[in-house]
Amino acid sequence: MSGSIPFYQKHHRHYDRGYRSKGTESKMSQYQSTSRYTGVSSYSGLEASRLSPVPKRAKPTYLAVDKENQIIGYVVPIFRGFSDTEEARVRNTSAHMARRDLFTRGLEMERSEVISRKEAIRESAERISLTKTIHEHEEHFKHMNEDSLMHAPEFVIKPRSHTVWEKQCVRLHCTVSGWPEPRVVWYKNNVSIDPLANPGKYKLESRYGVHSLEINRCDFDDTAQYHVSAMNSKGELSAYASVVVKSRFHQDSKNGPVSEYGITFQTHIVDNFGVSFGREGETMSLGCTVIIYPALHRYQPDVQWYRDDVLLSPSKWHHMHWSGDRATLTLTHLNKEDEGLYTLRVSTKSGYETYSAYVFVRDADAELEGAPGAPLDVRCLDANKDYIIVTWKQPAVDGGSSILGYFVDRCEIGTTHWIQCNDTPVKFARFPVTGLVEGRSYSFRVRAVNKSGMSRPSRVSEPVAAMDPADRARMRGSTSAPWTGQIIVTEEEPAEGVVPGRPRELQVTEATKNYVVLSWNPPGEKGLEGVMYYVEKCVSGTDSWQRVNTEIPVRSPRFALFDLAEGKSYSFRVRCCNSAGVGEPSDPTEATTVGDKLDIPSAPGKVIPTRNTDTSVVVSWEASRDARELVGYYIEGSVVGSNVWEPCNNKPVNATRFICHGLMTGEKYVFRVRAVNAAGISQFSQESEAVEVKAAIGGGIPHASPSPPYGITVLECVHDSMVLAWKQPNFIGGADITGYFVDYREVIDGVPGKWHEANIKSISERAYRVSDLKENKKYQFQVRAANMAGVGIPSLPSDTFLCEEWTIAVPGPPHDLLLRDVRNDSLVLLWKPPVYQGRDPVSGYYIDIKEADAPEEAWRGVNNKATEKTYFKINNLNEGETYVFRVRAQNKAGVGKTSDITEPVPALTKPGTKEIVVNVDDDGVISLNFECCDLKPDSKFVWSKNYEEITDTSRLSVETKGNKSKAVFNTPAEEDIGIYSCLVTHTDGASSSYNLNEEELKKLLEISHEHKFPIIPLKSELAVEMLEKGKVRFWLQAEKMSANGKIDYVFNDNALSQGEKYKMNFDKNSGVIEMIMDSLTPADEGTFTFQLQDGKATNQSSLVLIGDVFKELQKESEFQRKEWFRKQGPHFIEYLGYEVTPECCVILKCKVGNIKKETTALWSKDGREIKSDQHLGFTEGVLKLEIAQISKKDSGVYEVVLKDDRGKDTSTLNLTDQGNFWRSCLNVFLMFSLLAANSSTPLKITSTDKGIRLYTFVSYYNDLLQVTWHYKDAAIAFSDRIKSGVVGDQLWLQITEPTEKDMGKYAIEFHDGKGGLRRTVELCGQGETVFSAAIAEKNRARVAGGLPDVVTIQEGKALCLTCNISGDPAPEVTWLKNDREITSDDHCILKFESGKFASFTITAVNTSDTGKYSILVKNKYGTESGDFTVSVFIPEEQTTDTKTCLKQVDWIDTMLRYRK
């Protein structure tokens, strides 16, 4: 088979269906090797079981007994082969058959072949019979040897119930079998019995499998249900018995006769569990508190738990506990099998009480997204020796795609290894599992698969053993003989076998496209040994029968055939065989077509949902028509509009009515139903009509009428009538109260009379005037409330009131006090005015407050000034404190009676409390919004203004949806100012208020106008700008506009459109809107407007272009147009201008553009071309002409012309009469003088060889700088002795041969055109000193020159250096080498001649002469030195050793730097 392998087969371990039982295969191979069996020897222990005979044969007996008929072992007969006589008989029979047919040789050969076949069949039957005999003996031996097959406990004799008299003893006993030996525990009312806790009361005994419980001296407390539990490693089993203790009648002098049955128990189940929701894998506990009255010590009722009316027993899935007053059921590991209606039943001798609630179990999260839910309710049916049918129910959740099928897994008890039973998924919810090993126990599980993957496995089935049902019954019903551990083998002739007859009542019990199941009854004639079966099939229309189980016969009267061709028809028949041979076949079945015989049920009929509670809906539907083997129905629900379907049940329900819980209050749901059977799940039914999740009348409570009102008081009394008031019932019955009925009766001398109706028609207010009373008579009153469900029970009779006219001057009490908007620190108190006004109208009210548990003296006033309103907000409350309130009315006469106090109320904001929120929508509609989280099905939102219900909808419209209500102002105005409140009925006081004052209203109206008439915000208004070529651009930018925004362009109230003249553009990303015109004409003078629209939002911006504004813009446009054409050739970017440099030079320059090599520039002055020695070129697009030392003669009109083949451009500059130009030059001069003056250093004095020098330094200097030297504030007249000059940036004054007359104050003045700047210095008493210093400077020792810095000389050459020495007196000369003094010798000759010349001679230099040399000259006026460096090199080394030369060069360089 080619193609891809499905994902569910990739890791599957396949097996051959022909060898489902490996043990059987092994035995068959063992006995097929020979056709005869010889004698056997003795065996002991377990090996002997392989040759044990079948125990159900009556003859012969194989038990070995002693003289006292005690069984001491077993006798195993030796099976022999054919004797010589029998073999001869067989041969003679064959020869006789051959002689009978001498006519034709062919017929003789055919009959001989038939005989041979019969012999082969007989031998095969004998082998099969022997195999069966060995196998059956193995099973019998295992049953007798408990070590080989463990089994769960079984009660051979169960305990029996007893009724005894008081003070008598009673004994309960039972017999239990099981291996390992069970542990037995006795219980009383599900509580284990401990003999040590009650010494002498109970006695427990266990001997030889018999267990007993003895109760000594029974009393009434011993009346209970007892049960005994037997447990071992294979399971647990319980048996129950009741003990009733009766009391004898006896006379009591005080109380009379007392009977046990004189007590009547009253049972109440309280604190119960509600509808519960869990998820697979979780643990859930259900519990109720049970109150039994009277409470008798140690009395325990019978507590039982049911699921879907099926009694639950303790198991690993269900743990039950009774603590004396509370019953608990723990579901240890939830699975969908645990979903259902759970009922607690508590029974006493006086009766029983029950309580029920539904438990829903949802699927666990899928391991793979989109995988289906796990199947459920896996069961094992029709268990036989090697065959079991596994059934299950399909899951409600398919993961979003249809389920492809199911895989069945098995696990042998005692192991943890799961084996997949089917290679490909089966869609039918029933599967025959074959290939089991007889005698072994198995458990099963099922997994669903769809295209997304595999589901989680189902809950494991209960263990089931693969064995013959008759053997199982025999093992449970009979006891085993004791095992002695010895087998005695004897020789005995086996009984002659009988060929079995035909199997009976063969039929096809199940047919699907995956398999066909056959069942039949064993034959009536089968001999004393067991039989096996061969199954044969035949394709319809042919006579060719083919054996299906060719190698392994079937032991069970059930068989499943796989691998049949779907759509083909087959007939089947069965043969029996044993050691005597193979019997005749059964009658064939009728032709059976391979395919699903059980059809998927049709879709259910009409679905009708009905309101139930505020979280549940009753769904009923019409059953599927012609549905066979129906398992149940699945219900799904969906919120209207969501299109999301959720399962309401995960376990199929058998009825056509179901209560769907866990729904959201106020939402509308639709429902649909599917039917389920083993073939699959039907199509969905039609969706139901939508139903709102809202409690029906009474909210699901049986008694829906209201509870009684209370707190009846008198508000006013006249001579023949009284006005009554009362408080609303605490429980209104699940529906609004429609009215009240008042009854009254007269009380005479303390004896009340008959009740009379005060009103025939119900009244809606909680105050009513009862008329037609008698003055000075006493009356009592009662009130009843009514709703849609009926009239409730009346209230308790009121106090007795006297009917007499009130004449007091002060008002009566206010009434009907209500509390609203309770918060942590505030609340609102409402009341109604007193019915009795007093002599004058009521003018105000006072509110009193006190803590609920405070004494009467703690009452204190809330308001010091009476309020005229009938509501008041009380602030500054302490959070968590409980308060009560009362109200008093006042008039001119004073303050009247106090009202009834309110119910205590804690100052706490309830969780989930919402406040009224003001909202202004996009249409500018102002609304008040309130949300309530605790909405009940019959709750209503009641809006009030100033705490009076709003009935006029002309000002305010109310819209309510779900748990939200909105009050919309139709036309907000000043008359809407007030306090708005919203109250939610049928809640625990859910309410909120909002104060709409004048300022708040004004703010809301502004916001409403902005929302109603929205404006598109603009980043910039409409503006105009010039583009190149003289184009005009009108533009603006909006902050935000959508892609659907629209722009209208208008000029003088005329719409403009896209064309040659107008180019429009709208950038939606940036919000820039623009319109471009090539040029402006006189016709374009006017107003331009851009009109914007984006949804409801609009805006516009205009620009007025008329008069001079338009003319300037038009002129600018024309100019820009001309400029554009000018710039197509060489042109001036910046026209000709001038610049004056700090050196007082003038530079004429202009910036040019769009030039090329052929472009020329011609300069002219006053029409004459300017000639220049150097070429006038372009430098970075700038053309310059420099005029050095500008003067008046340079004035004139300068012009420069750019010209090439593309055109020319001209720029002129008039310097003839430009005062600005000359002023600029002058300013430059003055600015330079000022900079120079400010940068000058203080005037200093120094001596020279000729005399004294005064000097200063300036940072900025040129020849135009004007300075004047002063001596004693007079300008100095220069001569040969006194001179001035400039050296670099130094300005100096030289005085040659100074005298005393030259002493005094000297100054240098800088002229900057404003006031000038002076630097001064005093020459006082310093002349002689300075002069001496000048003489010293003139005569000090000096090295005038002649020495080089570096001398490089070849080795062996002579070196001679000479330098000039000056100084008076003649200086002393010293020579140094490397800073050490050297003297004259033959190698180095040092001379100093005529006091002026010093010579240095080396006759023949060598490398040791390399070094730094210095000459030091010194006289009394000073010292000076001169340095030079000698480097000696060898020519050969210079060519061969470059590194040495480089080092010498580096050294010389270092010495030079050092010298410097």
Side-chain angles (χ1 to χ4, degrees):
M1 179 178 180
S2 61
S4 60
I5 300 176
F7 73 90
Y8 48 76
Q9 290 184 355
K10 289 183 179 179
H11 303 288
H12 180 60
R13 183 173 154 189
H14 297 276
Y15 57 90
D16 186 0
R17 286 196 181 93
Y19 296 98
R20 298 290 176 97
S21 173
K22 297 300 181 182
T24 306
E25 177 190 0
S26 176
K27 289 182 177 58
M28 289 299 299
S29 62
Q30 176 182 355
Y31 291 104
Q32 283 175 355
S33 61
T34 61
S35 61
R36 294 290 184 268
Y37 298 94
T38 59
V40 297
S41 59
S42 298
Y43 290 86
S44 62
L46 300 178
E47 295 296 328
S49 64
R50 298 182 180 177
L51 299 177
S52 300
V54 180
K56 62 183 179 180
R57 291 190 179 185
K59 183 180 180 180
T61 302
Y62 299 111
L63 294 178
V65 298
D66 57 8
K67 295 180 179 181
E68 299 178 357
N69 292 328
Q70 298 294 325
I71 299 175
I72 62 173
Y74 296 89
V75 178
V76 180
I78 296 178
F79 292 89
R80 301 175 178 175
F82 291 120
S83 63
D84 296 336
T85 304
E86 291 173 340
E87 291 181 356
R89 179 170 55 83
V90 172
R91 285 195 297 272
N92 292 335
T93 303
S94 301
H96 176 70
M97 295 295 295
R99 286 193 298 271
R100 286 179 56 185
D101 300 317
L102 296 177
F103 297 100
T104 60
R105 185 174 181 85
L107 182 61
E108 178 183 356
M109 294 179 63
E110 182 179 356
R111 292 189 176 183
S112 177
E113 185 179 355
V114 169
I115 294 172
S116 299
R117 287 182 180 178
K118 288 185 178 181
E119 288 183 357
I121 293 173
R122 179 58 180 257
E123 291 175 359
S124 176
E126 288 177 354
R127 288 195 298 269
I128 295 172
S129 176
L130 180 59
T131 303
K132 181 174 178 62
T133 301
I134 294 173
H135 182 74
E136 289 181 350
H137 187 268
E138 285 180 354
E139 295 303 316
H140 178 71
F141 179 73
K142 289 180 181 179
H143 179 70
M144 297 182 65
N145 183 0
E146 285 103 346
D147 290 333
S148 299
L149 180 61
M150 297 186 294
H151 61 278
E154 295 181 4
F155 283 94
V156 180
I157 299 176
K158 296 183 179 181
R160 182 171 56 87
S161 298
H162 292 268
T163 301
V164 298
W165 294 107
E166 204 172 16
K167 306 301 182 183
Q168 286 184 341
C169 297
V170 66
R171 178 189 292 269
L172 305 176
H173 60 85
C174 63
T175 303
V176 182
S177 65
W179 187 260
E181 184 178 354
R183 175 176 172 265
V184 175
V185 181
W186 291 87
Y187 294 86
K188 175 185 177 182
N189 287 338
N190 297 325
V191 179
S192 63
I193 296 175
D194 185 6
L196 299 179
N198 300 277
K201 183 66 177 177
Y202 301 103
K203 183 179 179 181
L204 301 178
E205 290 185 355
S206 296
R207 293 182 181 178
Y208 308 111
V210 178
H211 307 272
S212 64
L213 167 65
E214 183 177 349
I215 306 173
N216 189 27
R217 296 181 61 82
C218 294
D219 56 19
F220 178 75
D221 290 341
D222 294 321
T223 299
Q225 184 184 59
Y226 294 83
H227 78 270
V228 57
S229 176
M231 179 190 306
N232 64 7
S233 60
K234 302 301 292 181
E236 181 181 1
L237 192 63
S238 299
Y240 295 82
S242 299
V243 173
V244 178
V245 180
K246 294 185 177 181
S247 354
R248 295 184 174 90
F249 289 97
H250 63 278
Q251 187 69 25
D252 189 288
S253 59
K254 196 169 184 179
N255 298 323
V258 177
S259 171
E260 168 196 2
Y261 299 97
I263 301 175
T264 300
F265 292 100
Q266 296 181 1
T267 306
H268 300 279
I269 300 177
V270 297
D271 191 17
N272 41 39
F273 60 93
V275 175
S276 304
F277 295 87
R279 191 176 294 275
E280 284 187 315
E282 297 177 351
T283 299
M284 178 182 291
S285 291
L286 309 175
C288 294
T289 300
V290 180
I291 299 176
I292 300 177
Y293 180 82
L296 299 181
H297 179 60
R298 297 173 58 191
Y299 177 75
Q300 294 186 359
D302 183 16
V303 178
Q304 294 175 320
W305 288 89
Y306 295 82
R307 180 176 63 227
D308 296 332
D309 298 330
V310 177
L311 179 65
L312 297 178
S313 301
S315 67
K316 66 177 181 179
W317 309 114
H318 315 114
H319 291 175
M320 304 170 187
H321 179 68
W322 168 255
S323 62
D325 61 351
R326 186 168 182 82
T328 305
L329 171 65
T330 302
L331 306 175
T332 58
H333 188 280
L334 283 178
N335 285 93
K336 289 180 287 190
E337 289 87 344
D338 297 320
E339 182 172 296
L341 181 67
Y342 283 78
T343 302
L344 170 65
R345 178 184 174 118
V346 181
S347 303
T348 63
K349 67 172 187 175
S350 302
Y352 64 89
E353 287 291 330
T354 61
Y355 173 77
S356 300
Y358 210 91
V359 172
F360 292 87
V361 181
R362 296 187 176 94
D363 283 287
D365 294 335
E367 295 178 349
L368 296 174
E369 185 177 357
L376 66 153
D377 202 13
V378 179
R379 299 175 182 270
C380 299
L381 307 177
D382 199 12
N384 277 274
K385 296 179 181 181
D386 56 357
Y387 167 90
I388 289 176
I389 292 181
V390 179
T391 66
W392 61 90
K393 294 178 181 176
Q394 298 91 333
V397 178
D398 57 9
S401 60
S402 59
I403 294 177
L404 301 177
Y406 303 88
F407 286 104
V408 180
D409 303 332
R410 75 168 186 263
C411 178
E412 186 175 341
I413 299 301
T415 68
T416 59
H417 181 60
W418 287 93
I419 300 175
Q420 187 171 300
C421 299
N422 52 318
D423 299 339
T424 58
V426 293
K427 288 192 174 183
F428 212 74
R430 194 157 53 227
F431 185 75
V433 178
T434 60
L436 305 180
V437 178
E438 186 176 358
R440 297 185 182 180
S441 297
Y442 298 89
S443 57
F444 298 87
R445 70 182 187 187
V446 182
R447 295 168 295 152
V449 62
N450 64 4
K451 67 179 183 181
S452 298
M454 199 82 67
S455 74
R456 293 177 179 270
S458 65
R459 174 183 280 183
V460 177
S461 68
E462 293 295 330
V464 61
M467 60 171 49
D468 194 303
D471 292 342
R472 184 183 294 108
R474 183 173 61 254
M475 291 176 61
R476 290 181 177 178
S478 62
T479 57
S480 302
W483 169 248
T484 63
Q486 181 180 7
I487 298 179
I488 301 175
V489 181
T490 63
E491 294 186 4
E492 184 174 342
E493 292 293 333
E496 185 175 355
V498 176
V499 177
R502 296 170 179 261
R504 299 172 298 168
E505 300 179 10
L506 175 64
Q507 60 180 343
V508 177
T509 58
E510 191 170 327
T512 69
K513 63 182 179 181
N514 300 101
Y515 60 87
V516 171
V517 177
L518 303 177
S519 68
W520 60 90
N521 292 332
E525 299 175 359
K526 60 180 180 178
L528 299 177
E529 57 180 316
V531 295
M532 299 184 187
Y533 305 95
Y534 287 109
V535 179
E536 298 175 353
K537 67 178 179 180
C538 175
V539 178
S540 297
T542 66
D543 293 331
S544 176
W545 288 92
Q546 180 183 358
R547 182 173 295 178
V548 177
N549 54 332
T550 57
E551 298 185 6
I552 303 177
V554 181
R555 297 175 179 174
S556 305
R558 303 286 187 275
F559 188 74
L561 289 86
F562 296 88
D563 299 330
L564 299 177
E566 184 178 357
K568 282 190 176 182
S569 297
Y570 294 88
S571 296
F572 306 95
R573 68 185 184 185
V574 180
R575 293 175 182 266
C576 296
C577 67
N578 60 10
S579 60
V582 179
E584 294 297 324
S586 66
D587 295 333
T589 63
E590 295 182 357
T592 302
T593 303
V594 177
D596 293 333
K597 299 301 181 183
L598 181 64
D599 295 330
I600 297 175
S602 60
K606 184 178 181 181
V607 181
I608 303 175
T610 308
R611 287 168 50 190
N612 185 42
T613 68
D614 55 1
T615 59
S616 65
V617 169
V618 177
V619 179
S620 58
W621 59 91
E622 295 179 1
S624 298
R625 296 182 180 180
D626 302 328
R628 293 188 300 131
E629 300 182 23
L630 190 66
V631 173
Y633 297 91
Y634 282 126
I635 303 96
E636 292 185 0
S638 173
V639 178
V640 173
S642 67
N643 201 27
V644 177
W645 292 91
E646 295 290 341
C648 298
N649 63 316
N650 282 288
K651 181 179 178 181
V653 294
N654 294 322
T656 57
R657 180 182 181 273
F658 186 73
I659 301 177
C660 300
H661 289 273
L663 308 179
M664 291 184 292
T665 305
E667 293 288 351
K668 290 187 176 180
Y669 283 81
V670 291
F671 298 89
R672 62 186 185 184
V673 184
R674 290 193 292 179
V676 185
N677 67 1
I681 303 179
S682 73
Q683 297 294 324
F684 284 106
S685 66
Q686 294 293 328
E687 294 181 9
S688 69
E689 295 182 356
V691 60
E692 183 179 2
V693 182
K694 184 178 181 181
I697 297 299
I701 302 173
H703 304 289
S705 57
S707 62
Y710 64 100
I712 301 175
T713 57
V714 176
L715 301 181
E716 185 187 27
C717 185
V718 295
H719 63 90
D720 62 348
S721 64
M722 301 173 73
V723 178
L724 305 177
W726 55 89
K727 295 182 179 179
Q728 179 176 292
N730 293 325
F731 172 70
I732 62 175
D736 291 332
I737 293 178
T738 57
Y740 297 92
F741 295 91
V742 181
D743 300 334
Y744 68 94
R745 66 183 177 183
E746 186 178 354
V747 179
I748 302 174
D749 296 331
V751 178
K754 185 179 180 182
W755 287 105
H756 301 279
E757 294 180 350
N759 60 313
I760 304 300
K761 186 178 180 181
S762 64
I763 53 176
S764 58
E765 298 291 333
R766 290 196 299 275
Y768 182 70
R769 182 180 294 276
V770 182
S771 303
D772 299 329
L773 302 179
K774 297 178 182 179
E775 190 174 4
N776 297 324
K777 297 292 184 179
K778 294 181 179 180
Y779 292 91
Q780 287 182 342
F781 303 90
Q782 67 179 15
V783 183
R784 291 174 293 170
N787 62 9
M788 294 178 63
V791 180
I793 60 177
S795 65
L796 295 175
S798 68
D799 295 336
T800 302
F801 300 114
L802 179 63
C803 183
E804 61 178 357
E805 188 167 0
W806 288 359
T807 59
I808 56 177
V810 295
H815 66 100
D816 202 7
L817 274 64
L818 298 175
L819 296 171
R820 298 276 185 87
D821 306 348
V822 180
R823 303 293 186 266
N824 290 334
D825 59 351
S826 65
L827 56 80
V828 176
L829 179 64
L830 312 179
W831 62 89
K832 290 185 179 178
V835 178
Y836 179 74
Q837 298 285 320
R839 293 181 182 176
D840 300 293
V842 173
S843 59
Y845 301 92
Y846 291 97
I847 298 94
D848 298 335
I849 182 177
K850 83 175 184 69
E851 289 72 17
D853 54 355
E856 288 294 319
E857 295 78 11
W859 283 105
R860 58 190 181 275
V862 175
N863 54 327
N864 296 324
K865 183 179 179 181
T867 177
E868 297 179 356
K869 300 175 182 177
T870 56
Y871 57 87
F872 193 86
K873 185 172 183 179
I874 303 171
N875 298 304
N876 301 322
L877 301 180
N878 296 326
E879 183 178 354
E881 186 67 52
T882 302
Y883 296 92
V884 292
F885 303 90
R886 66 186 186 188
V887 183
R888 295 170 294 153
Q890 79 165 9
N891 60 10
K892 292 182 179 179
V895 179
K897 294 182 179 181
T898 61
S899 66
D900 286 346
I901 64 174
T902 63
E903 296 294 329
V905 57
L908 285 174
T909 303
K910 293 182 175 61
T913 299
K914 305 289 185 179
E915 301 293 343
I916 292 178
V917 179
V918 183
N919 180 51
V920 182
D921 63 14
D922 295 338
D923 296 327
V925 178
I926 303 173
S927 62
L928 305 176
N929 301 268
F930 186 61
E931 180 180 357
C932 179
C933 299
D934 299 329
L935 202 68
K936 298 297 186 296
D938 289 324
S939 295
K940 295 180 180 178
F941 290 86
V942 180
W943 287 90
S944 303
K945 180 181 179 183
N946 296 330
Y947 299 101
E948 294 183 2
E949 185 176 353
I950 299 174
T951 57
D952 184 10
T953 59
S954 61
R955 306 294 311 167
L956 202 69
S957 300
V958 177
E959 302 174 5
T960 301
K961 183 178 181 181
N963 63 338
K964 298 179 181 179
S965 183
K966 177 169 65 174
V968 180
F969 290 96
N970 297 332
T971 54
E974 290 186 1
E975 56 188 295
D976 293 316
I977 294 174
I979 299 176
Y980 291 85
S981 63
C982 184
L983 170 69
V984 184
T985 63
H986 300 284
T987 62
D988 193 10
S991 62
S992 180
S993 300
Y994 176 77
N995 186 8
L996 181 61
N997 53 35
E998 184 177 357
E999 181 181 356
E1000 187 71 14
L1001 178 62
K1002 183 178 179 182
K1003 185 188 301 183
L1004 291 175
L1005 289 175
E1006 292 176 356
I1007 298 175
S1008 174
H1009 185 271
E1010 293 177 359
H1011 288 199
K1012 191 177 297 183
F1013 307 102
I1015 296 176
I1016 300 174
L1018 300 179
K1019 288 185 177 180
S1020 62
E1021 296 289 341
L1022 184 61
V1024 64
E1025 66 179 7
M1026 286 294 167
L1027 304 179
E1028 66 175 6
K1029 207 174 179 179
K1031 293 182 179 180
V1032 182
R1033 176 179 180 249
F1034 297 88
W1035 69 280
L1036 62 78
Q1037 185 175 10
E1039 285 190 4
K1040 184 179 181 182
M1041 281 188 70
S1042 68
N1044 298 323
K1046 179 184 177 183
I1047 300 94
D1048 292 329
Y1049 305 87
V1050 179
F1051 172 67
N1052 292 342
D1053 297 331
N1054 296 319
L1056 303 179
S1057 59
Q1058 187 90 2
E1060 294 184 1
K1061 185 174 183 179
Y1062 304 103
K1063 305 293 188 299
M1064 289 93 166
N1065 184 38
F1066 172 30
D1067 190 342
K1068 298 175 182 178
N1069 295 324
S1070 63
V1072 174
I1073 304 167
E1074 63 181 5
M1075 181 181 72
I1076 298 175
M1077 300 174 62
D1078 291 338
S1079 63
L1080 290 177
T1081 64
D1084 296 323
E1085 183 176 4
T1087 302
F1088 292 85
T1089 303
F1090 285 8
Q1091 296 178 349
L1092 286 67
Q1093 184 175 0
D1094 190 2
K1096 295 193 308 177
T1098 60
N1099 203 345
Q1100 71 175 22
S1101 183
S1102 300
L1103 183 65
V1104 179
L1105 297 178
I1106 59 176
D1108 294 338
V1109 176
F1110 176 76
K1111 291 177 181 179
E1112 289 294 329
L1113 185 63
Q1114 184 182 18
K1115 183 179 179 181
E1116 178 69 17
S1117 176
E1118 294 175 357
F1119 171 76
Q1120 292 293 340
R1121 185 176 181 84
K1122 293 178 180 178
E1123 281 289 293
W1124 185 83
F1125 285 108
R1126 180 178 68 85
K1127 292 179 180 180
Q1128 301 308 304
H1131 62 275
F1132 292 96
I1133 298 174
E1134 294 179 2
Y1135 287 98
L1136 195 59
Y1138 65 87
E1139 178 184 348
V1140 182
T1141 65
E1143 293 80 10
C1144 207
C1145 295
V1146 175
I1147 298 176
L1148 303 182
K1149 65 178 182 178
C1150 56
K1151 193 172 183 180
V1152 298
N1154 197 14
I1155 61 175
K1156 59 182 182 178
K1157 292 182 179 180
E1158 293 78 10
T1159 303
T1160 59
L1162 301 177
W1163 288 89
S1164 62
K1165 176 189 174 187
D1166 297 331
R1168 291 179 296 179
E1169 185 177 354
I1170 299 175
K1171 301 293 184 179
S1172 177
D1173 295 337
Q1174 53 179 277
H1175 176 68
L1176 299 178
F1178 305 105
T1179 303
E1180 296 181 355
V1182 177
L1183 189 62
K1184 297 181 180 179
L1185 176 65
E1186 183 177 350
I1187 305 174
Q1189 301 295 328
I1190 190 73
S1191 62
K1192 286 290 185 179
K1193 64 179 181 178
D1194 295 318
S1195 62
V1197 178
Y1198 291 83
E1199 183 183 68
V1200 61
V1201 178
L1202 291 176
K1203 183 171 60 174
D1204 60 16
D1205 56 353
R1206 296 171 296 171
K1208 70 176 183 177
D1209 197 7
T1210 305
S1211 179
T1212 59
L1213 179 63
N1214 189 351
L1215 295 182
T1216 56
D1217 191 19
Q1218 289 199 12
N1220 290 336
F1221 169 72
W1222 296 110
R1223 281 195 295 271
S1224 297
C1225 295
L1226 181 60
N1227 289 337
V1228 170
F1229 300 153
L1230 296 178
M1231 179 183 67
F1232 176 77
S1233 299
L1234 180 61
L1235 291 175
N1238 291 333
S1239 65
S1240 63
T1241 61
L1243 202 57
K1244 294 184 179 181
I1245 304 173
T1246 186
S1247 60
T1248 66
D1249 55 352
K1250 295 181 180 180
I1252 299 173
R1253 176 173 288 188
L1254 284 71
Y1255 66 91
T1256 181
F1257 290 95
V1258 294
S1259 299
Y1260 304 96
Y1261 177 80
N1262 69 359
D1263 295 340
L1264 298 178
L1265 180 63
Q1266 296 180 6
V1267 296
T1268 304
W1269 289 91
H1270 295 270
Y1271 172 65
K1272 293 182 180 180
D1273 297 330
I1276 296 176
F1278 297 105
S1279 63
D1280 293 337
R1281 193 176 71 88
I1282 300 175
K1283 297 179 180 179
S1284 67
V1286 178
V1287 178
D1289 292 336
Q1290 186 187 57
L1291 281 70
W1292 52 265
L1293 176 68
Q1294 181 72 39
I1295 303 175
T1296 305
E1297 297 179 358
T1299 64
E1300 294 292 336
K1301 294 181 181 180
D1302 295 322
M1303 295 184 182
K1305 180 179 180 182
Y1306 288 84
I1308 183 172
E1309 181 180 6
F1310 297 91
H1311 299 280
D1312 58 0
K1314 295 182 180 180
L1317 178 67
R1318 285 192 177 197
R1319 302 289 186 186
T1320 61
V1321 68
E1322 287 285 343
L1323 187 60
C1324 250
Q1326 302 178 14
E1328 194 171 332
T1329 303
V1330 174
F1331 182 75
S1332 298
I1335 295 299
E1337 178 67 22
K1338 178 180 178 182
N1339 296 326
R1340 71 179 179 86
R1342 298 174 184 273
V1343 179
L1347 294 177
D1349 291 333
V1350 178
V1351 177
T1352 303
I1353 188 169
Q1354 184 177 343
E1355 186 179 22
K1357 300 291 185 179
L1359 173 64
C1360 182
L1361 301 176
T1362 302
C1363 63
N1364 297 328
I1365 304 299
S1366 64
D1368 188 17
E1372 298 178 0
V1373 177
T1374 304
W1375 291 89
L1376 303 175
K1377 178 182 178 182
N1378 295 334
D1379 296 332
R1380 291 183 180 182
E1381 185 177 355
I1382 59 175
T1383 58
S1384 179
D1385 55 16
D1386 294 339
H1387 180 67
C1388 181
I1389 301 172
L1390 307 176
K1391 293 182 179 181
F1392 181 57
E1393 299 175 347
S1394 303
K1396 294 182 180 180
F1397 306 103
S1399 62
F1400 173 82
T1401 304
I1402 299 176
T1403 56
V1405 297
N1406 53 41
T1407 56
S1408 62
D1409 295 325
T1410 299
K1412 174 187 175 185
Y1413 292 85
S1414 303
I1415 182 172
L1416 182 65
V1417 295
K1418 180 180 179 182
N1419 67 3
K1420 67 177 182 179
Y1421 293 115
T1423 302
E1424 190 173 287
S1425 65
D1427 301 327
F1428 63 93
T1429 301
V1430 176
S1431 175
V1432 180
F1433 68 90
I1434 301 174
E1436 293 79 9
E1437 294 181 358
Q1438 186 177 13
T1439 59
T1440 59
D1441 193 358
T1442 307
K1443 293 184 179 179
T1444 303
C1445 294
L1446 292 175
K1447 290 182 179 179
Q1448 289 179 352
V1449 173
D1450 292 340
W1451 181 84
I1452 293 170
D1453 184 60
T1454 303
M1455 296 301 294
L1456 287 173
R1457 288 198 300 270
Y1458 176 77
R1459 182 178 181 183
K1460 292 180 180 179

